[in-house]
Amino acid sequence: MYSEQLLSTEGFSDAYSLTYHVFPPTMVLSIGEPYNVAPEIAMEKNLQNRSFQGYAVAPKDDYLESRVPVMVNNDIHISVAAPRKSMQSYFYKNSSADELLFIHEGSGILKTMYGRLSFSYGDHLVIPRGTTYTIEFDSEINRLLILESFSPIRFPRKYVNRFGQLLEHAPYYERDIRKPVDLETFDQLGDFEVLIKKEGLIYPYHYASHPFDVVGWDGFHYPWAFSIHDFEPITGRIHQPPPVHQTFEGHNFVLCAFVPRLYDYHPGSVPIPYNHANVDSDEVLYYVDGEFMSRKNVKRGQFTLHPIGIPHGPHPGTVERSLGAKETKELAVMIDTFKPLMITKQALEIEDVEYYKSWVE
Ligand SMILES: [Fe+2]
């Protein structure tokens, strides 16, 4: 007799998985004192274009301690992390948010009760809430962009049919989505610490059975990976609007990927985008690699925040520089939130304070 566990979402009315355990997943030995990891807000309200250097965040040995929140609201928390060590002494579970780990640098294996998911540069690892995991890194040099989404992270609705299948005009395909493989059953009793995050607190739970004691599972609630390098850019004769870059979405936000691609190919086209006012969304760009066409002096791991309320556009000289260019090698991730973002204390420590003046030569 195995112990069956149903992992259900949205009140048993949406995606779920069934897992079969050697031991019941309920054998709590003890619970330690919860501790606070909620972001400390330095600036609740903002009407200024800003920039932050994600790579200025210092590496730390421990995975959870290395996570530094930068911009947050009630829908999403955006963090960066430079963890040096693999997780060895504990397991981790986020019970409030789906997590998306964008692997900027480093490689390794995400381990869950569903199996192993190997990752490397450019991967988005989507870990639905309630998934206990550990990460094994191949080296000490790792840079992650981490999103915590308080609603399910999904494929854009415009790209799926009524059965949930990706449509032909989607910029990626089911075959690009990687599932956990090589299920290993840990038939072990002992004392296993699981750090459970819920509403800004971490609760140290101790269980009597190994969290990965699963002999088999099926369903739709499991971690998966998608590489930004598998995103097929949508291009055109004239400028394509930003939604063509969309990868995923959650409640009140979208995620996009700017990848190497051909520029607009009409002979009279201006390859660089227009000035634009995102009238009702905060726009966060995270620069991954390559020269970014519309910005000057951009560094890897840099964030820009262009908020609701004021326009932004190409930096001086970049329009002229773009004329006649055939392609771009830029690689970036964009997060557009439909509610304003608050700025954390740690973000102010890595801010380029003069950025808002960078459109004046
Ligand atoms: Fe923009």
Side-chain angles (χ1 to χ4, degrees), residues 140-273:
E140 295 208 341
I141 299 165
N142 304 293
R143 290 278 174 185
L144 313 176
L145 167 69
I146 300 175
L147 309 181
E148 285 169 86
S149 164
F150 299 99
S151 60
I153 294 174
R154 300 190 192 281
F155 298 156
R157 211 158 283 278
K158 64 185 174 182
Y159 290 140
V160 289
N161 68 16
R162 67 203 155 104
F163 304 107
Q165 183 184 20
L166 284 163
L167 290 163
E168 279 189 271
H169 69 295
Y172 52 88
Y173 189 58
E174 274 91 1
R175 288 175 202 171
D176 299 320
I177 306 298
R178 284 144 43 215
K179 288 174 68 169
V181 292
D182 302 330
L183 179 72
E184 196 182 346
T185 307
F186 293 84
D187 180 350
Q188 290 173 21
L189 289 172
D191 182 339
F192 302 92
E193 187 176 30
V194 185
L195 300 179
I196 305 178
K197 185 172 184 183
K198 186 178 177 188
E199 295 178 300
L201 292 183
I202 287 188
Y203 298 80
Y205 260 73
H206 290 261
Y207 278 96
S209 58
H210 195 292
F212 304 160
D213 68 341
V214 165
V215 295
W217 66 276
D218 60 5
F220 281 72
H221 187 78
Y222 56 84
W224 45 274
F226 170 70
S227 173
I228 198 168
H229 307 302
D230 288 332
F231 187 91
E232 291 301 327
I234 297 167
T235 60
R237 253 162 63 91
I238 57 165
H239 187 66
Q240 298 297 298
V244 299
H245 303 284
Q246 191 182 349
T247 43
F248 309 122
E249 66 193 15
H251 178 63
N252 280 342
F253 76 90
V254 295
L255 189 73
C256 298
F258 289 84
V259 301
R261 62 191 183 280
L262 292 181
Y263 274 139
D264 315 336
Y265 45 86
H266 185 285
S269 72
V270 176
I272 226 158

Side-chain angles (χ1 to χ4, degrees), residues 242 258 273-274 276 278 283 285 294-295 306 312-313 334 336:
F258 289 84
Y274 31 51
H276 50 286
N278 311 7
E283 178 188 309
L285 260 173
S294 56
R295 305 254 87 83
H306 300 130
H312 64 281
M334 183 169 80
D336 277 9

Side-chain angles (χ1 to χ4, degrees), residues 117-133:
L117 201 46
S118 61
F119 62 83
S120 59
Y121 167 52
D123 274 331
H124 306 73
L125 290 176
V126 178
I127 308 167
R129 81 199 57 192
T131 304
T132 301
Y133 70 85

